Amino acid sequence: MKIGYFLSCEEHTPDQLVGQAVAAEEAGFAGLWISDHINPWNSEQGQSPMVWPVIGAVAQATSLPVMTAVTCPIGRTGPLVVAHAAATCAVMNPGFRLGVGTGEALNEHLTGEVWPSFDVRIEMLREAVALIRELCTGKTVDHRGTYFTVDDAQLWTVPEEPLPIWMSAFGEKATRVAADIADGFVSTSPDRELRSLFGDLSGGKPAAAGLKVAWAPTAEEGVEHAHRLWANAGLPGELAQVLPSPRHFEQASQLVTKESTAQGVVAGRDVEEHVQAVQEYADAGFDELYVSNIGPHWREMIAFYGEQVLPRLA
């Protein structure tokens, strides 16, 4: 299984993200994921730089391939703008992949448009992906679809090879759509059932996942960072898709206990625990895993993985 590093735009400044990418390459990580948000999940996270210029900076600082995890091309940035940005990134960063999903109200309601239901969003995504693929060929495109219109549009800077588009999916319906329209499957949990469903329906296409850990000198400190910064990860159901602002996530996260956070995150510096957490994704059939560190100790975490975890999993 390929192991990369997950750049969290919600927690870090652009300069820190570029520094993490450089450190990850030096440590032996094989690729990069990067989140695409306009809001963090809560005010403690405190950042949210625009993803596209950060990718450009990363592409100049490292040779690691980057994938967005994930971009929503149906809201604040539509398929024309996303195609333009992704095509440029693919030229600058060989191996670049566009990760897409149906998005969250947190990032997409800001335009003032009504946040659609999931059934509408998944059909919007289907149309958007087809349109992005067509635009990234460099051909002139006229499109008047159910949700999007493009008039006499041509992208002049496009990659030589077709742009790979991977899709995030968290349920059976979305996974079936991903198998139909995407080049790969994206998840944030070691869900063996959905990964298997995607593989079966797609003819064996690959799958990647993201994992957050909280490296710290002690497990207790790691749990403190995880609970302060990412208690929202413990919210159930569709709340992550429908809550509209960081303050709402802060309010809802008050229901998530520190004990619950501790049960859901690998914290501290025990090598065996980190290895086991990564291995769980390999056992579930994932081809790639991107690991992010929660809290301030990202330098130590990257070095720790390079020296102790990655060699164990090679």
Side-chain angles (χ1 to χ4, degrees):
M1 183 175 66
K2 171 182 172 182
I3 302 175
Y5 190 78
F6 192 169
L7 301 170
S8 174
C9 285
E10 301 92 329
E11 279 190 68
H12 303 289
T13 66
D15 287 349
Q16 289 172 335
L17 294 167
V18 174
Q20 290 174 16
V22 171
E25 183 172 38
E26 292 174 350
F29 285 91
L32 298 166
W33 264 17
I34 187 166
S35 53
D36 180 1
H37 275 233
I38 195 169
N39 277 323
W41 297 97
N42 55 62
S43 58
E44 282 290 331
Q45 292 174 356
Q47 295 290 331
S48 205
M50 189 177 190
V51 69
W52 303 110
V54 176
I55 293 173
V58 167
Q60 296 303 299
T62 82
S63 62
L64 293 179
V66 180
M67 179 163 74
T68 58
V70 292
T71 294
C72 174
I74 63 173
R76 73 187 192 279
T77 49
L80 176 60
V81 173
V82 170
H84 193 191
T88 299
C89 288
V91 170
M92 296 180 69
N93 179 245
F96 174 83
R97 291 172 291 174
L98 176 65
V100 298
T102 56
E104 305 94 8
L106 174 71
N107 298 298
E108 310 307 329
H109 85 286
L110 304 179
T111 62
E113 298 293 327
V114 174
W115 181 235
S117 67
F118 169 77
D119 287 342
V120 173
R121 299 200 317 271
I122 199 73
E123 291 308 312
M124 293 176 73
L125 185 62
R126 185 189 291 274
E127 183 178 333
V129 167
L131 183 52
I132 291 168
R133 290 192 190 278
E134 189 174 9
L135 286 162
C136 285
T137 65
K139 299 175 182 177
T140 300
V141 178
D142 284 290
H143 176 87
R144 286 167 178 79
T146 304
Y147 301 104
F148 304 107
T149 298
V150 169
D151 182 36
D152 195 29
Q154 181 179 1
L155 299 183
W156 293 86
T157 301
V158 295
E160 294 181 0
E161 300 294 329
L163 175 71
I165 301 177
W166 292 42
M167 180 179 154
S168 171
F170 295 102
E172 181 179 342
K173 182 171 183 177
T175 301
R176 290 181 177 277
V177 173
D180 186 36
I181 70 172
D183 300 305
F185 175 74
V186 174
S187 181
T188 55
S189 67
D191 192 318
R192 187 187 301 264
E193 183 176 342
L194 290 182
R195 198 283 173 253
S196 178
L197 177 65
F198 175 82
D200 291 344
L201 294 177
S202 68
K205 290 179 181 178
L211 168 67
K212 288 183 173 64
V213 301
W215 190 100
T218 66
E220 291 76 15
E221 182 186 341
V223 170
E224 289 287 343
H225 293 311
H227 192 63
R228 175 175 60 87
L229 292 163
W230 286 93
N232 57 280
L235 295 176
E238 297 180 46
L239 287 177
Q241 281 73 53
V242 299
L243 294 179
S245 75
R247 71 177 181 276
H248 292 111
F249 278 94
E250 291 165 7
Q251 294 163 7
S253 295
Q254 293 176 21
L255 301 175
V256 180
T257 66
K258 188 181 295 185
E259 291 72 22
S260 176
T261 298
Q263 292 174 3
V265 68
V266 176
R269 54 189 298 175
D270 186 293
V271 176
E272 293 300 330
E273 291 184 5
H274 284 268
V275 169
Q276 183 178 353
V278 172
Q279 187 63 46
E280 188 175 358
Y281 287 83
D283 294 342
F286 284 86
D287 305 280
E288 305 175 10
L289 180 68
Y290 295 81
V291 188
S292 178
N293 194 64
I294 297 171
H297 299 297
W298 57 265
R299 292 179 184 84
E300 296 92 332
M301 176 271 189
I302 290 173
F304 169 79
Y305 266 67
E307 294 167 3
Q308 301 189 54
V309 179
L310 300 183
R312 287 278 302 276
L313 296 162

